[in-house]
Amino acid sequence: MTSHPTPPPTAPRIAVFGSANMDLVAYVPTAPRLGETVTGSAFRTVPGGKGANQAVAAARAGGAVTMIGAVGADAFGPQLRTSLAESGVDTSGLRTCDEASGIAHIVVDGQGSNSIIVVPGANGTVTGLSAGDEQRLAATDLLLLQLEIPLPGVLAAARAARAHGVRVVLTPAPAQPLPAEILAATDLLVPNEHEAAALTGRSDPAEAAAELLTTVPEVVVTLGAAGSLYATRGAEPVYVPARKVTAEDTTAAGDTFVGALAVAAGEGRTMPAALAWASAASALSVQRRGASAAMPHREEIDASTATPASATPAETD
């Protein structure tokens, strides 16, 4: 077992309420079309799930992280739990249920792009808080949420966090209509450009962000290789460029970004500085294969940001 240092007492306290999946990853030169069979070049079984991915990313980036969710009583359950623990994540809130563990079938092509099918399994049982969950949330500074668990569970966690003054960060993925109650309990919304368009009907990221600000106080729209866009009420949006790298595998790049962003924001950095640091973490992750296995540790992120990219005002139409 790999040993990882314990976060310092001053590390941002982060809870992740979300999914844990086993990723079944096939690598192919070209992704198959409907009805087509292709020969792959490699296959890997990698712990993943958007919740677990964000937890690992935040822990490796220096956060004191607690994971709340569910795994199955099958062979994947202990593997998922061990993977989180080895990255320094507290798994006392990760329950075991009778359902099979969640899985994701992922196809990665020769350009590093991917397509994913998620089967929720145990994640589908997380419809609310379990014993001790509210206390776990109350003891943190920031809560990370995604949409790979049922919306009632997301709402219950957001409400509990808000009641205890914990900042709520929501990644609206997979994209779906969001109840007003969830948005009302969200402090920072972090969609990618496709999710932002799905939520607003606007293809321009700056326009989408402006519309989202009518429901949440802060928005970060991630733009892949183009960087990210930060918008808050009463201020001009800010564009933060991405690091220029050659992608090997983009799986979990967004989760790496959010996990690192949570740590940087929890440390009190300005949002442009936090976004630049998170972008560096994401850039490191896409140069490696896999999801959680590709996520960088804090020392690597710090080393890659010795000369950080500067933020510039975003262009709007």
Side-chain angles (χ1 to χ4, degrees):
M1 178 182 297
T2 303
S3 175
H4 296 287
T6 301
T10 55
R13 300 171 302 169
I14 298 167
V16 181
F17 193 94
S19 60
N21 292 331
M22 186 59 76
D23 292 347
L24 311 176
V25 190
Y27 295 89
V28 295
T30 303
R33 295 169 294 180
L34 188 64
E36 181 182 17
T37 299
V38 300
T39 300
S41 58
F43 174 79
R44 299 182 67 190
T45 303
V46 184
K50 294 194 72 63
N53 285 343
Q54 291 185 6
V56 170
R60 291 189 177 186
V65 182
T66 297
M67 176 73 192
I68 304 172
V71 295
D74 55 3
F76 288 152
Q79 294 176 40
L80 292 169
R81 190 181 295 276
T82 298
S83 173
L84 286 161
E86 287 181 342
S87 288
V89 177
D90 177 357
T91 61
S92 60
L94 192 63
R95 64 194 86 155
T96 300
C97 70
D98 293 333
E99 297 282 342
S101 297
I103 60 95
H105 285 270
I106 302 174
V107 175
V108 182
D109 69 17
Q111 286 69 53
S113 298
N114 62 65
S115 59
I116 305 173
I117 299 172
V118 175
V119 181
N123 298 308
T125 70
V126 186
T127 57
L129 303 185
S130 289
D133 286 351
E134 184 164 355
Q135 290 74 20
R136 292 183 182 95
L137 293 173
T140 60
D141 305 307
L142 186 146
L143 168 64
L144 295 180
L145 293 169
Q146 320 78 34
L147 302 179
E148 285 186 345
I149 59 172
L151 287 179
V154 175
L155 178 57
R159 281 175 171 167
R162 176 58 65 89
H164 291 282
V166 175
R167 188 179 187 192
V168 177
V169 178
L170 172 62
T171 303
Q176 58 187 284
L178 292 175
E181 284 183 284
I182 290 179
L183 291 169
T186 298
D187 296 296
L188 172 63
L189 191 68
V190 190
N192 64 27
E193 56 190 314
H194 307 295
E195 293 152 1
L199 289 170
T200 65
R202 298 179 180 274
S203 59
D204 179 83
E207 292 180 0
E211 183 163 327
L212 291 169
L213 287 177
T214 64
T215 58
V216 295
E218 292 181 276
V219 176
V220 170
V221 181
T222 59
L223 308 172
S228 59
L229 177 75
Y230 171 65
T232 187
R233 293 169 180 169
E236 289 296 315
V238 174
Y239 165 70
V240 179
R243 303 255 160 182
K244 303 299 183 183
V245 298
T246 299
E248 174 76 11
D249 182 355
T250 59
T251 306
D255 295 328
T256 302
F257 180 93
V258 172
L261 175 62
V263 172
E267 291 174 345
R269 306 188 196 204
T270 65
M271 281 300 290
L275 290 168
W277 199 74
S279 177
S282 183
L284 288 167
S285 76
V286 302
Q287 296 175 74
R288 308 162 181 169
R289 287 188 171 187
S292 59
M295 292 172 175
H297 293 274
R298 185 181 185 94
E299 314 83 72
E300 299 174 273
I301 307 171
D302 285 340
S304 73
T305 55
T307 308
S310 59
T312 59
E315 294 184 2
T316 56
D317 293 333

